[in-house]
């Protein structure tokens, strides 16, 4: 009976050693799983932070693009206004050129009219002198008669 009991005790010791090794192995596995979970949680946190940063950078980039598009629209409007002003300036230059031509023509006509007036005044003076001379002769002839 002693050998059966010894066998049972030995079997129980072997079983206890197996269970202890199994427990140590499972504890090691559990520790490894916990480390893996902590690592995964750390990675998830880092990914969340990176995603938030990327979203903020994306929003900033979108705002920058919208600002540049607004500036581009303003520049296009300025270019349109400048083009319009250039056309208007060209019209003014054309009108000024025509006005200068008209002014030159009017100056020529005025000079011509002045010459005519001077000639008419000279002719009028000549006629007046001739009339005065004729009147003087007529008065002299009247007093002689």
């Amino acid at each position: 009976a002693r050998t059966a009991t010894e066998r049972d005790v030995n079997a129980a010791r072997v079983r206890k050693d197996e269970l202890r090794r199994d427990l140590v192995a499972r504890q090691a596995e559990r520790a490894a799983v916990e480390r893996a979970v902590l690592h995964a949680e750390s990675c998830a946190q880092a990914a969340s932070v990176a995603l938030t940063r990327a979203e903020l950078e994306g929003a900033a980039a979108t705002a920058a693009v919208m600002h540049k598009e607004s500036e581009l629209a303003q520049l296009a409007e300025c270019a349109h206004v400048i083009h319009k002003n250039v056309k208007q300036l060209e019209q003014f230059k054309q009108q000024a050129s025509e006005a200068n031509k008209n002014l030159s023509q009017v100056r020529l006509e005025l000079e011509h009219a002045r010459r005519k007036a001077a000639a008419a005044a000279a002719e009028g003076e000549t006629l007046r002198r001739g009339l005065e001379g004729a009147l003087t002769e007529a008065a002299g002839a009247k007093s002689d008669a």
Side-chain angles (χ1 to χ4, degrees), residues 29-41:
E29 286 176 5
R30 183 176 177 188
V33 167
E34 287 176 354
R35 283 192 306 273
V37 166
L38 287 175
H39 180 71
E41 287 175 348

Side-chain angles (χ1 to χ4, degrees), residues 11 13 17 35 38 47 59 70 90 107 109-110 115 117 123:
R13 279 187 188 144
D17 289 342
R35 283 192 306 273
L38 287 175
S70 173
E90 288 173 359
R107 282 182 179 157
E109 290 172 5
L110 180 61
R115 284 186 198 144
E123 186 177 340

Side-chain angles (χ1 to χ4, degrees), residues 69-128:
E69 286 175 347
S70 173
E71 287 180 335
L72 185 60
Q74 289 175 348
L75 288 174
E77 179 62 26
C78 287
H80 175 71
V81 168
I82 289 171
H83 182 70
K84 186 176 170 183
N85 288 344
V86 166
K87 278 188 168 184
Q88 193 174 27
L89 181 60
E90 288 173 359
Q91 284 179 326
F92 290 156
K93 284 172 74 177
Q94 181 64 32
Q95 290 171 355
S97 176
E98 289 176 18
N100 276 335
K101 287 178 187 175
N102 290 342
L103 180 61
S104 295
Q105 182 63 34
V106 167
R107 282 182 179 157
L108 287 174
E109 290 172 5
L110 180 61
E111 186 60 32
H112 182 68
R114 282 183 182 153
R115 284 186 198 144
K116 274 185 159 180
E123 186 177 340
E125 183 62 28
T126 302
L127 289 174
R128 186 183 62 76

